[in-house]
Amino acid sequence: MHFSLPGGALTRKSIADVTRRCLRTMLVVLGIAVGVLGLTAINITSGSLSASIAFSANRASAPDFSFNVQAVDASLAPELAAVPNVKTVQFATNYTTRWHASSTPISIGIVAFADLRNVKINTFELTAGRLPGQGEIVMESSDRQLQDVAIGDRVTIETASGLRQLRVVGIVRTPGQPGAGFLSFATAYMSADALGQITGISSANHIDVQLRNTAQVNATARELANVLRAHGVVILSAFTPGNNTIQTASDAVFAITRVLAIIALILTSFLIINTVTTLIAEQIKIIGTMKAIGGTRQKVMRSYLLSVGIYGMTGTTLGIGLGIFAGYEFLSYLTNLFTLDLGSFQVTLSTLLISVAVGIGVPLLAAMLPLWLGTKITVRDAMTSYGVSNGKSAPTRSRSGQRMTWIPQTTRLGMRSIFRKRGRAILTLLALMISGIAFLSVSATSDSFTAGLNQFVDTYHMDALVGTHPQPYNQVREQMLSVPNVARVERFDDQFVKTPHGQIDLTGVETDTQMYRYHLIAGRWFQGDESNVLLISDVSAGKLHLKVGDKVTFSDATDTATWTIIGEVFDHNNTLAGGVGITTIDDLYGFERLPANLAAGFMIQAWDASPQAVEHMANALDATLTRAGASPNIQTVQQIMASNQSQFQIVTAILYGVSVIIGLIGLLGLFNTLTISVLERRREIGILRSMGATSRGIARVFWTEGISLAVVAWIAALIVGIPAAYAFVSFIGSVLLPLPFTFSPVMLAIMLAFILLIATFASFGPTLSAARVRVSDILRYD
Amino acid sequence: MSKLFLDQDQYALRTGQPLIQVEHLSRVIETRAQKTTILHDLTFSVPVHSLFAINGPSGSGKSTVLNMLTGIDRPSNGRIIFAGEELRRMSENGLARWRGQQVGIIFQFFQLVPTLTALENVLLALELGGGGGLKRRQWRERAMSCLAMASVQARAHRLPGALSGGEQQRVAIARALANDPPVVIADEPTGNLDSHTAQQVFDTLAGLTAQGKTVVYVTHDPRLAARASARIELLDGQIVNHEGAEAVVTMPQSATEVL
């Protein structure tokens, strides 16, 4: 039963050409849909995420700057609020400790306010339960990513007076704060009274300030600092909001995935070219007939362009639909990860128009050349096309044939056919090559990231990092050295400061440090008791346009300094935040105006650096320092590495996903090429059959062609792939974080297996088709 | 040729010339290996309203002559004048348009578009050939009448794969008639059919002359050749005999007897 379709006969033919070969249509549409999906999802997510970050920051009422102080009395608040330009002042108590949730304690920061009902800055939203009173606590909703917790549960935390249990009475969310799973750090809220009762801390140690005019933030901060110091308050650090790391990281990830989406679209173009070439090869006689009965070249081209347009429209519709879904899901994942408010989900008109233009325009443009060339054929040539080319390279083949008689002829038939049509072969090789290179680049990125982490460990040669409230150094050092397995303790601290060209993480180390193993690129290390000097990392040098010998002016919220750069070191810590500047710990604390005998950060080296021993040591350190009232925050190197790995996994998951898609498109390209090969060589197949070739023998010819193409592509990918992978890793370095280029030679073998797998799958259909060709269908003359 | 439809009678009366004139036609094919002369200096003419046969054994150049007449192939030397217009001067697109309007072609292996029904195959010819001077809304009716002329209207909505060989060839005849061309050219129209079906199809083809068409056909079957009102006989690319048509014999019969 045949149903009449609207439109002329040519239109109906165009539609039938699409619907007749379901598998090919499905794969082509899928190829287009994938490219459009990626582009749509990226555009939706990037646009909405930026809006969401801004929206959440606004809703959370972020501070314009903050102070960490040793202790401040609440009675000072009105005087601070009276400083000109100050809109709101808020005191809080931050207490860092360990949450004994399971076998491995979890670092937790408890934020306490005098009046939980009157929190004006860094607000949180109660999503379930109620605000806590004495002996009670509310947990951040993302804490459940680390440990399941519900209202009514009891959480056990460490304090100076031992373990304390608190009842969970509510669940909150703090917009704009990265999730606990992302940070490997939990957050909770208590009343200041309740916290004081279990920890003995009676004063606030954190001040958040909002201004009326943020342009005068530094001047206002200095005035507030003067007020605090006038009352004997020791300011540990003062900071204004720096780079939005979430925004920076997201922008980098989107830049990377945009590049990959463009690569996918380029491959889709190859796919279209291959598919259109296949279609023309299949319909060469029909093209001849149409021209014979009055069809001009333009009319014939238009009918095939309509088919391509149908591919494009179908793929675009599918791609946009899936892209919106994927964009929403990815956005939901990110907003959940970073506790952002999505607001109303919108798809902008520009996003849709871009996707439509690309999804329909790219296939049509890609199809123009093969259609123009394919419809150039004369009626005579079209009607008399048997298949086998007239062998312009015949002399070469016959000479090589004399030398290679030891290879089975059916195998040689497959191998010699690779470059029978050079243009098509090159296109197919390119598609396969790009698939292999994409795979290699992604695995190199993953390996490079691991190498980068190892470099970090090599530079920061410690086993644990400890942060405390400012403590008398000699005293706390002795306490830490008394813990079993602690071999060495060095002061180590950092603070983000701003320069005219951007932010930098000013990091203080001991002048004679044994743990910070610096790799000098230029200049020198510290000498003697020199002060007001620093070394910058290679990352900072690039981002801030600084070099050895320059003077750099930097400031925090209250103070400004100008120091001389004496050296440049290789250090990729905190790249997203602007890189590091290394100074002496004394200079750092001097800039922060911390009393000389105090220290708040330490690197620890263990005698036994095995992960288990270091874990035991960290637990013991935590217990010791908590009992001493130091409010410690301890991270082992393994925890730091694991946290970084899990954060980068988002990127590698996306990259591997896209490389699989690129591989699929390469597969389809080879499938089309082999299909054409079968079509064009039907007479050859008929002759082989008439001479006794079995189906398996025929199949072997084309399987050999497919595998040979794959091997040639692999060899080409080897030559180009390593530089291409280097370029890709460098690109990631430029947008996200610098990575030392690393790849495993094993990956080259895996890449070969990957390409061969693609080739085998792609060869299956055409070889089956070739094996089924009957002699009688072929060997009759037109 | 600006007119869509050639009034053959008017042309013949006005000019006194045959519809198709072939003068010193040659076709040489050169490859790297050799140079082959397919046609040697053919000169003949096709009268108006004739059932004109070109016959000869395999390899005699019959299909090549046909391809020249339809503009599908171009001669190496000589010229073809179709109703006073020389085909050699036309471009590929020009020839395509010309074929759509002036010539209906019937192939040995039908060459129907497999994804279109019989009716749609005829409509395709109308769409590509300019519609035969009819408005688009008249095309369907025109296509059905062509199918009726070929006695295959009952199969209008079948795909070619569901038709017998004879039925497919009848659809091909209907397609050739779609734009009401003055000339119908058939290349071995019954070569792929059994004898009974071949007879029926040929009868349909031959009947077109009564409808004012000039039919030129190629055959290697002497019985079908004998039914022509005019014919030439080819051997090795040369005319060895002719009947009812003006032609120049370039290979005498005696020479063929020697061979």
Side-chain angles (χ1 to χ4, degrees), chain A residues 288-351:
Chain A
T289 303
M290 285 198 287
K291 282 188 159 188
I293 63 175
T296 60
R297 188 181 185 182
Q298 290 76 11
K299 280 186 182 174
V300 173
M301 266 190 74
R302 270 204 299 272
S303 75
Y304 289 104
L305 278 175
L306 179 58
S307 296
V308 173
I310 295 171
Y311 285 137
M313 283 188 287
T314 311
T316 301
T317 306
L318 187 64
I320 288 178
L322 290 174
I324 291 173
F325 173 75
Y328 178 77
E329 288 297 319
F330 189 45
L331 194 58
S332 300
Y333 168 73
L334 288 176
T335 52
N336 194 44
L337 197 64
F338 299 121
T339 320
L340 299 171
D341 284 315
L342 185 53
S344 61
F345 179 70
Q346 284 179 349
V347 179
T348 61
L349 184 63
S350 60
T351 297

Side-chain angles (χ1 to χ4, degrees), chain A residues 35 50 118 122 210 214 238 265 285 296 300 471 482 573 577 582 601 605 674 704 706 710 740 748:
Chain A
S50 298
N118 200 26
N122 278 338
Q210 280 182 340
T214 56
L265 282 167
K285 281 195 168 32
T296 60
V300 173
Q471 305 289 307
S482 71
N573 189 27
I582 305 294
Q605 229 172 37
L674 292 174
T704 303
L748 299 177

Side-chain angles (χ1 to χ4, degrees), chain B:
Chain B
M1 177 94 52
S2 59
K3 280 194 290 192
L4 272 180
F5 300 104
L6 171 70
D7 186 326
Q8 297 184 64
D9 293 325
Q10 285 295 320
Y11 177 78
L13 281 171
R14 191 172 70 246
T15 64
Q17 296 289 329
L19 185 63
I20 302 172
Q21 285 173 271
V22 177
E23 296 175 356
H24 304 293
L25 193 71
S26 295
R27 181 74 171 97
V28 178
I29 295 192
E30 290 191 45
T31 64
R32 287 174 69 179
Q34 61 189 28
K35 181 174 162 180
T36 308
T37 303
I38 309 292
L39 301 174
H40 297 262
D41 193 21
L42 300 185
T43 300
F44 66 93
S45 57
V46 177
V48 169
H49 296 323
S50 62
L51 181 66
F52 189 92
I54 303 173
N55 87 304
S58 291
S60 59
K62 312 185 294 297
S63 294
T64 306
V65 170
L66 220 61
N67 285 346
M68 303 283 171
L69 295 181
T70 56
I72 287 173
D73 199 357
R74 290 184 188 268
S76 304
N77 281 303
R79 56 183 193 160
I80 297 166
I81 303 161
F82 188 104
E85 186 164 3
E86 215 174 309
L87 296 188
R88 189 169 55 180
R89 294 189 185 128
M90 293 188 201
S91 64
E92 277 298 318
N93 272 352
L95 281 170
R97 275 189 284 269
W98 172 81
R99 276 194 296 271
Q101 293 162 11
Q102 303 298 332
V103 181
I105 302 177
I106 302 164
F107 301 97
Q108 180 181 359
F109 287 97
F110 329 131
Q111 305 294 5
L112 299 176
V113 178
T115 52
L116 298 178
T117 63
L119 178 65
E120 287 166 349
N121 268 280
V122 181
L123 285 169
L124 181 67
L126 282 162
E127 203 168 315
L128 294 174
L134 301 171
K135 289 187 169 52
R136 186 175 275 266
R137 59 175 180 269
Q138 296 172 300
W139 286 1
R140 194 180 175 85
E141 189 185 336
R142 170 67 186 167
M144 287 302 292
S145 74
C146 289
L147 289 169
M149 270 194 267
S151 305
V152 75
Q153 72 274 27
R155 302 282 186 262
H157 300 293
R158 297 272 180 98
L159 290 171
L163 301 174
S164 67
E167 288 169 340
Q168 287 188 62
Q169 195 62 297
R170 288 178 185 279
V171 173
I173 292 171
R175 181 178 66 185
L177 297 173
N179 289 299
D180 197 20
V183 180
V184 174
I185 293 181
D187 186 359
E188 298 275 10
T190 60
N192 208 33
L193 306 172
D194 62 86
S195 60
H196 179 65
T197 310
Q199 193 66 41
Q200 289 179 329
V201 168
F202 190 81
D203 287 343
T204 304
L205 204 60
L208 295 177
T209 56
Q211 295 175 38
K213 307 292 181 195
T214 300
V215 178
V216 179
Y217 66 101
V218 156
T219 183
H220 63 269
D221 187 339
R223 290 170 299 175
L224 292 181
R227 287 186 58 178
S229 61
R231 69 184 181 94
I232 58 171
E233 188 175 333
L234 297 183
L235 180 65
D236 295 334
Q238 297 182 71
I239 297 175
V240 297
N241 200 3
H242 64 95
E243 272 181 40
E246 289 179 27
V248 175
V249 173
T250 50
M251 182 189 280
Q253 192 68 28
S254 57
T256 66
E257 285 170 0
V258 168
L259 291 169

Side-chain angles (χ1 to χ4, degrees), chain A residues 72-75 77 89-94 111-120 124 131-134 189-196 201-206:
Chain A
V72 62
D73 195 272
S75 61
V89 172
Q90 178 173 281
F91 285 9
T93 307
N94 288 341
V111 185
F113 298 100
D115 183 0
L116 283 164
R117 287 174 183 74
N118 200 26
V119 176
K120 292 193 172 63
F124 56 87
L131 293 173
Q134 291 291 340
Y189 296 91
M190 293 178 68
S191 70
D193 280 344
L195 182 67
I201 299 171
S202 56
S203 304
N205 57 17
H206 183 84

Side-chain angles (χ1 to χ4, degrees), chain A residues 466-742:
Chain A
V466 177
T468 64
H469 280 311
Q471 305 289 307
Y473 176 49
N474 291 332
Q475 182 185 312
V476 73
R477 184 170 176 276
E478 286 305 314
Q479 286 167 345
M480 287 192 282
L481 282 172
S482 71
V483 171
N485 199 25
V486 172
R488 187 175 173 88
V489 176
E490 285 183 12
R491 289 177 299 169
F492 177 83
D493 212 336
D494 69 318
Q495 182 189 349
F496 284 102
V497 294
K498 287 188 176 169
T499 75
H501 298 287
Q503 185 177 265
I504 194 172
D505 181 19
L506 189 64
T507 304
V509 298
E510 303 283 6
T511 312
D512 61 345
T513 177
Q514 304 289 305
M515 290 193 233
Y516 183 74
R517 295 189 177 176
Y518 54 90
H519 304 279
L520 270 175
I521 296 173
R524 60 175 178 83
W525 189 246
F526 307 109
Q527 285 171 353
D529 290 330
E530 65 181 333
S531 62
N532 296 347
V533 296
L534 77 161
L535 292 86
I536 53 168
S537 69
D538 52 329
V539 171
S540 298
K543 286 190 177 184
L544 307 180
H545 311 292
L546 295 169
K547 60 184 187 308
V548 175
D550 287 348
K551 287 192 185 301
V552 57
T553 301
F554 57 88
S555 59
D556 63 7
T558 57
D559 295 298
T560 302
T562 301
W563 291 358
T564 306
I565 298 171
I566 60 168
E568 185 178 329
V569 290
F570 181 85
D571 190 333
H572 290 174
N573 189 27
N574 265 326
T575 302
L576 280 178
V580 298
I582 305 294
T583 186
T584 64
I585 190 70
D586 292 321
D587 265 357
L588 175 69
Y589 283 155
F591 175 74
E592 292 176 352
R593 301 202 200 192
L594 192 71
N597 65 324
L598 298 183
F602 312 90
M603 287 197 286
I604 309 294
Q605 229 172 37
W607 293 110
D608 179 359
S610 65
Q612 219 174 6
V614 169
E615 185 65 33
H616 284 313
M617 179 191 75
N619 290 338
L621 272 170
D622 185 59
T624 303
L625 292 171
T626 302
R627 277 195 299 274
S631 189
N633 175 20
I634 301 173
Q635 277 187 298
T636 64
V637 161
Q638 285 82 25
Q639 285 173 332
I640 294 169
M641 288 181 68
S643 172
N644 276 279
Q645 285 279 16
S646 75
Q647 290 168 19
F648 198 72
Q649 255 171 21
I650 301 167
V651 176
T652 52
I654 294 170
L655 294 181
Y656 272 118
V658 177
S659 75
V660 165
I661 287 160
I662 291 174
L664 275 174
I665 298 175
L667 186 154
L668 184 60
L670 181 60
F671 178 88
N672 275 346
T673 296
L674 292 174
T675 302
I676 300 176
S677 188
V678 169
L679 278 170
E680 290 179 340
R681 295 160 66 193
R682 286 168 67 85
R683 176 163 281 269
E684 189 176 323
I685 294 169
I687 292 166
L688 288 173
R689 281 281 204 193
S690 68
M691 292 193 296
T694 61
S695 298
R696 188 173 286 194
I698 299 293
R700 188 166 54 238
V701 171
F702 294 94
W703 183 80
T704 303
E705 185 177 341
I707 295 299
S708 302
L709 266 171
V711 170
V712 173
W714 178 74
I715 293 169
L718 273 184
I719 297 165
V720 178
I722 296 173
Y726 180 82
F728 186 72
V729 172
S730 301
F731 167 68
I732 290 194
S734 69
V735 298
L736 191 59
L737 74 163
L739 300 172
F741 177 66
T742 308

